[in-house]
Amino acid sequence: MRERHAARDARRAREFEAFVAGAAGRLLHSATLLTAEPPDGNPHARRLLALSLAHTYACWDGLRGEDPYDRARQYLATRFAREAWHRHRGPFGRPRRRPGGALGGLAPQERLVLVLRLYEGVAEEQVAALLALPVERVRTVHDRAVAAVLYPPPEPARRTARAAPP
């Protein structure tokens, strides 16, 4: 009996290791895009990845033919959305400083929809179901995010200090 459990656990561990070897890089890149952190300094993205993989491992036996990558991506997206909801506003309701990078100017929901639709290739209806939003709202958020990335607002002109007259 113990040998059977040990063999099953070893097989499960090998299967999960193979999954992680193939999927972790892409999931980390998605998480890095979501958090808008630089690729070489992305602690929040790495934390999201670790939580997503831990959740996927915990559900591994119950997947029953379901795509483990899809499960991990769903958890990553919903975890990001939940954390962004709490972290988007700073103390006293003031907006927090936005992260840098190409997607840093977008709101968290815009980044989430854009990454899921463009980078991950998730259908509009699936994104709507995942985020519990109407399809029209997902379409609007996606269009606004694409426009903001393609046509960013001009940066304000910098003031130059005038030298005092002698």
Side-chain angles (χ1 to χ4, degrees), residues 148-164:
V149 169
L150 293 178
Y151 308 106
E155 301 230 359
R158 295 185 182 198
R159 293 182 140 168
T160 56
R162 293 184 182 173

Side-chain angles (χ1 to χ4, degrees), residues 20-155:
V20 170
R26 184 172 174 101
L27 286 169
L28 178 61
H29 189 70
S30 292
T32 303
L33 290 172
L34 288 173
T35 59
E37 295 174 305
D40 55 344
N42 53 3
H44 292 102
R46 290 182 184 279
R47 181 176 175 275
L48 276 174
L49 174 66
L51 292 170
S52 177
L53 292 176
H55 175 77
T56 304
Y57 185 73
C59 300
W60 193 259
D61 289 335
L63 290 177
R64 310 247 192 270
E66 187 180 342
D67 182 15
Y69 184 83
D70 188 44
R71 174 69 68 98
R73 180 182 58 219
Q74 285 178 2
Y75 187 82
L76 184 89
T78 55
R79 183 71 187 223
F80 171 77
R82 191 170 42 249
E83 288 180 5
W85 174 259
H86 295 289
R87 215 178 324 143
H88 184 61
R89 293 255 174 214
F92 309 111
R94 289 186 295 236
R96 290 185 186 257
R97 186 177 59 84
R98 292 193 182 220
L103 302 182
L106 300 177
Q109 186 181 57
E110 293 172 333
R111 280 198 309 266
L112 182 58
V113 169
L114 192 69
V115 168
L116 288 174
R117 293 280 295 123
L118 294 182
Y119 182 71
E120 290 290 335
V122 179
E124 213 170 55
E125 294 79 14
Q126 289 176 316
V127 173
L130 179 65
L131 302 178
L133 295 172
V135 175
E136 295 79 22
R137 176 72 179 147
V138 170
R139 187 176 303 125
T140 301
V141 170
H142 175 260
D143 292 345
R144 184 177 51 225
V146 168
V149 169
L150 293 178
Y151 308 106
E155 301 230 359

Side-chain angles (χ1 to χ4, degrees), residues 2-16:
R2 283 188 179 177
E3 294 84 22
R4 227 179 328 156
H5 287 293
R8 186 185 66 210
D9 290 344
R11 180 182 45 81
R12 177 182 190 218
R14 282 192 309 272
E15 289 174 354
F16 186 73

